[in-house]
Amino acid sequence: PTVVMIHGYLGNEDVMWIFSQTLPKDWLLVAPRAIIAEGDGQFSWHPRQQGEWPTLKEFDTAVDHLIHFIDTLPERYGADPEQIYLMGFSQGAAASFALAIREPERVQGIASLVGFMPRQVEDAIETARLADLPVFMAVGTEDERVPLEIAREGGKAVRAMGAFVEYREYETGHKLNG
């Protein structure tokens, strides 16, 4: 099994390794770098507009990049393409959901860590795009970047798409406590 650890806004491929201690030791862990340079060592999957939440369509370029990255894993690391799991933090969670909605057969599960669901997912809800996909959602009740209501709406949308959701709220901000 392979976990693709997808960082959030202004992160990079190095920041997700803190979560490796919580994952099985015999699993392959990989972390791609986002596509948009935002500053010295900082990257994003989608240009952030203050006060706006991106649509599913606006993640298309990020999804293309992630699919290409995942497609290289079997040859590069011997990854089993039938055992790909996504772990996304914040904007990385939104990119994970966008990828799973567009190509659900590529993903066997998602861990959304203080993340959100992109907007305009009504078609995905109607077609139950995430049918039976296991999804874990960790939400911060004091999150200053992803408001609790936005996170809760995302949880409802994931359920409405047919996913098997384990949704947990934690008394924390835009982070996860150890």
Side-chain angles (χ1 to χ4, degrees):
T2 301
V3 177
V4 180
M5 302 183 298
I6 305 170
H7 69 81
Y9 179 70
L10 301 183
N12 63 41
E13 67 278 13
D14 295 330
V15 301
M16 293 298 289
W17 292 101
I18 187 76
F19 298 114
S20 67
Q21 61 193 356
T22 65
L23 298 168
K25 301 292 182 222
D26 59 338
W27 285 31
L28 175 63
L29 309 178
V30 294
R33 176 183 287 177
I35 56 177
I36 301 169
E38 298 280 0
D40 188 29
Q42 299 177 320
F43 300 87
S44 69
W45 296 102
H46 176 273
R48 186 165 189 263
Q49 306 294 323
Q50 193 67 14
E52 293 182 17
W53 296 96
T55 66
L56 186 60
K57 180 87 176 128
E58 290 173 314
F59 276 95
D60 280 352
T61 303
V63 169
D64 290 342
H65 178 80
L66 289 166
I67 288 171
H68 175 73
F69 178 81
I70 290 168
D71 284 347
T72 68
L73 297 177
E75 184 176 328
R76 192 183 275 175
Y77 300 111
D80 180 350
E82 302 294 318
Q83 294 190 67
I84 301 293
Y85 298 84
L86 306 178
M87 174 186 280
F89 181 85
S90 190
Q91 191 183 75
S96 297
F97 286 130
L99 190 159
I101 289 168
R102 189 161 113 194
E103 297 199 20
E105 68 282 354
R106 289 182 175 270
V107 180
Q108 281 62 55
I110 296 175
S112 168
L113 311 175
V114 294
F116 61 94
M117 172 64 72
R119 297 291 189 186
Q120 298 179 2
V121 294
E122 293 76 18
D123 289 345
I125 290 172
E126 287 180 22
T127 58
R129 290 294 287 173
L130 303 182
D132 300 322
L133 183 73
V135 174
F136 172 73
M137 295 182 73
V139 171
T141 60
E142 300 166 25
D143 192 331
E144 66 285 354
R145 295 204 182 125
V146 179
L148 186 56
E149 189 54 39
I150 295 288
R152 286 178 174 163
E153 286 176 20
K156 290 175 187 174
V158 173
R159 276 194 185 93
M161 287 181 224
F164 175 75
V165 179
E166 183 174 338
Y167 176 94
R168 298 276 185 248
E169 293 182 358
Y170 299 91
E171 292 181 20
T172 188
H174 198 67
K175 61 182 181 177
L176 291 178
N177 297 339

